[in-house]
Amino acid sequence: MSYSPGLKDIVAVETRLSHVDGEAGELVIGGYPLEEIAERATYEEMVYLLWHGALPTAAALERFAGELAACRPLSGATHDLLRTAAAERRPVIDAVRMASSSLPVRDDTADARSLVAGLPTVVAAYWRLLHGEEPVEPDHGLGHAANLLYMLTGENPGDDRVRALTTYLNTVVDHGMNASTFTARVIVSTRSDFISAVTGAIGALKGPLHGGAPGPVISMLEAIGDADNAEFYLREKLESGERLMGFGHAVYRVRDPRADVLSRAARSFFTHDHDLYALALHVEETAIELLEEYKPGRRLQTNVEFFTALLLKGLGLHPDLFTPMFAVGRVAGWTAHCIEQRAVDRIFRPESLYSGDKTRRWTPVDKR
Ligand code: ACO
């Protein structure tokens, strides 16, 4: 038996959902290169692709979109939970985790639908409750991404904002055997339910080394403020052993292909506030140079979170919503992996390497 901390380089799952080539900087989702599909598909098409293995026909898409729409409204129990959490000012991602666990467990198909359709409603309702406003009911006439923006603001979003959010959700929909997806698969491997799996996955996603990075990216850009401060600020962080948020990746050794797609989508929102976008490009360039200086040969590059932060900020979303938005996109991948894992039906049970003592003898409590 070999020991691989973090299961690095261990292949434990076979999947048709997505493929990441960290050396070439390639991401394939459901057979399509990311650049081919992310800026064209609706989110509903993306979910269908992952769940069914092919893009839907027009008729199948209409039926599927209707099925998801029917699952958007939340139960009274979930609403009550969100009100209690808002009264206690719980962080948004924690409220999303709690609300996810409150969804009723039925069968796998119903659970997958209520997770994908319900999480945007949860995020929007909780955000409004936190700000003293009543939740806005979903609009049956709007699609997935449009509904999310509508439920957040109560206003019909323009096509450009809907397209940008859809591109974001599509870009993060699935990404190989990342920590949260693995968590979901481990939970389903015990023959547990999809609601539990996604709730666990949200818990894994919120960590700053995974989906919690984009909020700190904005804080970093705001703290730098001016391009002239970038090098000093970033050097100081690296000198004190801190990690630069939005850089480095467990798999990519070149620029994350998702960064390009998101950078393109973000640019249009900064025509009036070009400063932040220009600052971000300068910080990106400086950070990569300094990372090579401080971590030579590690090939640390921009990851998805850097331009996620910029795009979501451009959409007018508060940084506290960034990780919840990631969950709203990734839930399609999580549920698709749950479906795959259900078919495999094999429990995960790796080994551990015991490094403790074996010779201890019992000492009564009064003698310790
Ligand atoms: N800033 C400074 N140093 C870094 C960074 C960074 N962003 N990323 C990695 N390093 C360092 C590591 O500390 C390590 O140093 P060491 O060898 O001297 O101990 C070295 O570079 C190599 O690290 P890797 O093995 O390439 O990275 P690892 O797999 O350990 O971590 C991770 C990957 C967690 C993403 C890391 O790059 C990181 O913490 N980045 C910042 C947080 C971030 O942006 N997270 C979002 C990731 S994308 C996603 O999950 C959706």
Side-chain angles (χ1 to χ4, degrees), residues 208-210 213 238 242-250 253 291 295 298 300 303-305 326:
L209 298 191
H210 189 6
L238 291 167
E242 282 184 53
R243 291 189 177 199
L244 304 182
M245 291 294 133
F247 297 92
H249 197 273
R253 294 292 164 248
L291 284 167
K295 301 282 172 186
R298 302 289 193 186
L300 300 171
N303 66 42
V304 64
E305 303 290 39
F326 196 166

